[in-house]
Amino acid sequence: MVRNRIFYLVALVAALVFHSFYTMWFSWYFLVLLLCLPWFSLLFSLPAMLKLQVRTNAPKVLARRSNGKIQLCTASALPLPGCKMTLVLTNTLTGCQRRQKVCLTQARFFTASLPAEHCGNVLCTGEKIRVYDYLGLFCLPRPKVQLAQSTILPLPSSPAWKPALKLALPAVYRVRPGGGIAEAYELREYRPGDHLQMVHWKLSSKLDNLVVREAMEPVSDPVLLTFDLAGTPGEIDSVLDQLSWLSRWLLSKELPHSVLWIDGASAEVQTACVATEAEREALLRRLLCRTAAPSDRSIGGLAFRSSWRYHIIPRKEAQS
């Protein structure tokens, strides 16, 4: 835009000098035409400047360390004017941000690489958007706009030591909903409405009173995965990589489990139950699309009732 204005000023000065030495009608009309040209350009460019849209093409999901690209272009029903902006790529989980100046024209697509070094949710935002007229002398500012977002998924990797699955035997039983016959049962007196199949006839004949077997089922303590989502981007990557692997590993053993962590913003314990692969993926998206605020508390020191628990810590190489 500065270059176009300089060229226009040079042409205007040249027209003034030409008119001062050549006073015929041609020089006067040429000077008037040059003075009116920017306003004619603005008048014809304004509809296209108002309708101009910035379109993006970016992957919605991307694995960490992949070579993802975001492509920007302008679109309008009218001939396209020029457009400049600042492209801001922000990882909401790690807080890392990258800014890049972008110049879009009618025949040019702009391609930038997505920052996929760390897990998180990358927001692509356009700031300081300026749309120019056809001569590039005037600009129309546009408000800040979110162009796209991409989720950077972790790379599942096993912990430094593979945990052993030694689940504690359930010590608590409860009445099975719907009743029925079960190996574990509790004896009680007959109540109206009990099914005759539940009657313990041999014991009832000895006690001379109807006694029934009430089916019981074990109540298992949950399987837990706990972690602290804080630290450097490398430490967060290490924790999420291990979490993804451990959760998938437990599902392969047909073990539903609960995942617990402390939210840095509210300082409260957050819980997510994972019983299917879809729930595992939903949990990862939930973690990646948040802001990792530091917390003074660590969930590793909190006690929870469980039959099996694994607390995830960053790998040593990620801590260095």
Side-chain angles (χ1 to χ4, degrees):
M1 181 174 179
V2 175
R3 184 178 60 182
N4 292 8
R5 287 177 175 176
I6 292 175
F7 286 162
Y8 175 75
L9 289 176
V10 171
L12 188 61
V13 171
L16 287 171
V17 173
F18 177 66
H19 178 65
S20 62
F21 288 98
Y22 187 77
T23 58
M24 300 298 291
W25 64 270
F26 175 76
S27 63
W28 169 251
Y29 282 115
F30 181 71
L31 180 60
V32 172
L33 178 62
L34 201 59
L35 288 172
C36 296
L37 185 61
W39 307 105
F40 280 118
S41 174
L42 179 61
L43 180 63
F44 286 108
S45 305
L46 195 58
M49 295 170 67
L50 293 173
K51 295 182 179 180
L52 182 75
Q53 295 180 345
V54 179
R55 294 181 179 177
T56 57
N57 183 19
K60 293 184 177 180
V61 178
L62 191 65
R64 185 162 66 87
R65 297 178 183 172
S66 299
N67 295 323
K69 301 290 184 180
I70 177 172
Q71 190 178 67
L72 285 77
C73 66
T74 52
S76 175
L78 301 172
L80 295 172
C83 178
K84 290 184 179 180
M85 72 173 69
T86 299
L87 178 65
V88 183
L89 302 174
T90 306
N91 190 318
T92 58
L93 184 64
T94 63
C96 298
Q97 189 177 87
R98 192 176 74 193
R99 307 175 73 90
Q100 191 171 359
K101 291 185 178 181
V102 177
C103 180
L104 298 173
T105 60
Q106 184 174 2
R108 181 182 176 186
F109 290 84
F110 182 85
T111 303
S113 60
L114 284 170
E117 299 86 4
H118 301 292
C119 299
N121 187 49
V122 177
L123 292 181
C124 306
T125 309
E127 297 181 357
K128 299 180 181 179
I129 304 176
R130 298 290 184 270
V131 181
Y132 297 94
D133 67 311
Y134 292 131
L135 289 181
L137 301 177
F138 298 95
C139 69
L140 179 67
R142 288 286 190 88
K144 175 181 176 181
V145 61
Q146 181 176 320
L147 301 173
Q149 65 177 0
S150 299
T151 302
I152 312 301
L153 298 177
L155 295 175
S157 61
S158 60
W161 57 275
K162 188 175 181 180
L165 275 177
K166 295 181 180 179
L167 302 182
L169 294 176
V172 181
Y173 286 82
R174 67 179 178 184
V175 178
R176 177 193 289 177
I181 300 176
E183 294 182 0
Y185 58 88
E186 189 178 72
L187 297 174
R188 63 169 175 82
E189 292 185 0
Y190 176 84
R191 290 196 293 259
D194 289 339
H195 199 280
L196 292 179
Q197 288 183 344
M198 299 171 57
V199 176
H200 194 307
W201 295 108
K202 187 175 182 180
L203 185 60
S204 297
S205 62
K206 291 181 180 181
L207 298 177
D208 198 20
N209 191 19
L210 287 178
V211 178
V212 298
R213 300 185 184 94
E214 190 165 49
M216 307 293 288
E217 64 179 6
V219 179
S220 300
D221 291 329
V223 176
L224 297 183
L225 292 175
T226 60
F227 64 93
D228 295 317
L229 195 61
T232 65
E235 291 173 345
I236 294 175
D237 290 341
S238 178
V239 168
L240 292 176
D241 289 349
Q242 296 178 70
L243 172 64
S244 180
W245 188 92
L246 286 166
S247 182
R248 182 178 292 173
W249 177 65
L250 289 174
L251 289 179
S252 68
K253 304 293 184 181
E254 298 183 353
L255 283 174
H257 50 280
S258 297
V259 181
L260 282 72
W261 72 96
I262 295 180
D263 182 71
S266 62
E268 296 180 353
V269 176
Q270 305 294 314
T271 306
C273 297
V274 179
T276 63
E277 182 65 21
E279 291 179 346
R280 186 188 75 89
E281 294 176 356
L283 170 63
L284 289 177
R285 288 194 297 268
R286 174 183 172 185
L287 294 172
L288 295 171
C289 294
R290 63 182 295 277
T291 301
S295 175
D296 297 333
R297 302 171 59 196
S298 173
I299 201 170
L302 301 181
F304 299 95
R305 183 169 180 174
S306 63
S307 59
W308 184 88
R309 176 181 175 181
Y310 188 94
H311 181 66
I312 305 171
I313 60 174
R315 293 176 175 271
K316 290 183 178 181
E317 55 268 24
Q319 298 176 4
S320 57

